[in-house]
Amino acid sequence: MKQLLLTNWHSMRWIRLAIGLFLIQQAVQYQQVLFGFMAAFFLFQAIFNTGCSLNGCAVPHLKKNKNE
């Protein structure tokens, strides 16, 4: 888990983090729950490196077993 959180920080991850932090600030300043949900979505993507950018949504190929 520590490796997932601390490695592979590319530019799209930093952008998601910045958007999430900005939306948190907007949610608090304007007292908007929708901004809070959007911030949580972007922060989740940034922290756990999920999303469809950089081929992240590609389905992994099944590896053939040599014994088959």
Side-chain angles (χ1 to χ4, degrees):
M1 181 62 111
K2 183 179 178 181
Q3 183 181 8
L4 174 69
L5 296 176
L6 299 177
T7 59
N8 199 18
W9 278 86
H10 47 79
S11 60
M12 195 61 210
R13 241 176 130 175
W14 286 107
I15 292 170
R16 286 187 195 122
L17 181 65
I19 292 171
L21 293 174
F22 173 76
L23 288 173
I24 284 177
Q25 182 268 332
Q26 292 294 305
V28 171
Q29 182 178 354
Y30 293 112
Q31 299 176 354
Q32 292 289 322
V33 176
L34 180 60
F35 285 147
F37 287 127
M38 290 170 47
F41 174 73
F42 278 102
L43 288 174
F44 178 82
Q45 284 188 333
I47 292 170
F48 294 107
N49 198 20
T50 60
C52 290
S53 66
L54 300 174
N55 208 13
C57 283
V59 176
H61 298 297
L62 291 175
K63 293 182 181 179
K64 300 269 183 175
N65 195 357
K66 290 183 181 180
N67 297 331
E68 292 181 3

